[in-house]
Structure formats: structure tokens, C-alpha cells
Amino acid sequence: MSSVGNTSGYVTYGAYFHSPEGQFKASIYLQFSVPVKLEVWNDTTDQLVSQRSLPSTTSKKRVNWVFDNDSYVHAFDYRGYGLFKVDSVPTNLNDVLEIRVWAPIHSKITIFNENLLLQR
């Protein structure tokens, strides 16, 4: 994907990864002419999980970083009157993690590859 932006903002949304909680390694291969921010979002909880800021460069660059995804959707207890309690099933196995690239106005960015690997 390649983009030249007339406004600042996200150049790309995705790729999307259905992931459990745990430690991950994000990897992105790109070329950019201005400082950019690389972000991982938990779309299920709409929370920023990890962010990296990079200075501009003229060459292609592979960026790897390790982060923890522990912002999963928590299970809720359902209670009523009496002796019974119902526990909901945790939904963290359906969390969707997403890699985003943010750039300032008038920037040229080319993204060659994105990947997310569960480390443990």
C-alpha cells in the first residue's frame, strides 16, 4: 500500500488479527519520508495497546517490537435474587488486534508488509 496524504491521520487500518491475551511481536516493513507513529489497537475494547514513534528515513525499514495485549474484554457476573450466580464466558479469544500507521500532512508512505506473532 502506498499513500500521499493531504491531511494528517491514519494511512492504513489493519491488518486485523483475532488474538488471545499474551505477548506479541509486531513487524512492519515500510518506507516513509516523514516521522510516523506505528500503533497496535485492540479493536474489541477500542484501546491503544502499543505505540512506536519513528523519525523519517529515505530507505526501506523493517520495524519489530514486542508488546503485551492484556486489555481483553472482561467477563461479567450476572446476579439476581437467590442462591444462583451465572458467570459469562470470557471473550478474550475473540479480541481483534489491528496495526495502524499514522502520518502527518503531506507525507509519502509505502507499506510492504505487516505481521503479528504470538510470542507466548
Side-chain angles (χ1 to χ4, degrees), residues 81-97:
Y81 297 105
L83 302 172
F84 300 101
K85 179 177 99 172
V86 177
D87 294 324
S88 64
V89 177
T91 59
N92 60 325
L93 292 178
N94 295 323
D95 274 11
V96 176
L97 297 181

Side-chain angles (χ1 to χ4, degrees), residues 1-14:
M1 177 182 180
S2 187
S3 174
V4 177
N6 292 327
T7 61
S8 61
Y10 289 108
V11 175
T12 180
Y13 292 87

Side-chain angles (χ1 to χ4, degrees), residues 7-44:
T7 61
S8 61
Y10 289 108
V11 175
T12 180
Y13 292 87
Y16 300 98
F17 304 90
H18 293 271
S19 305
E21 67 175 305
Q23 188 176 70
F24 289 85
K25 177 180 170 186
S27 177
I28 186 166
Y29 185 47
L30 71 167
Q31 186 173 12
F32 46 96
S33 60
V34 294
V36 297
K37 290 182 187 174
L38 306 178
E39 300 176 347
V40 176
W41 282 80
N42 184 322
D43 283 350
T44 306

Side-chain angles (χ1 to χ4, degrees), residues 65-85:
W65 76 98
V66 176
F67 66 92
D68 290 319
N69 175 38
D70 56 1
S71 60
Y72 59 93
V73 177
H74 296 281
F76 297 99
D77 289 340
Y78 297 97
R79 294 190 171 147
Y81 297 105
L83 302 172
F84 300 101
K85 179 177 99 172

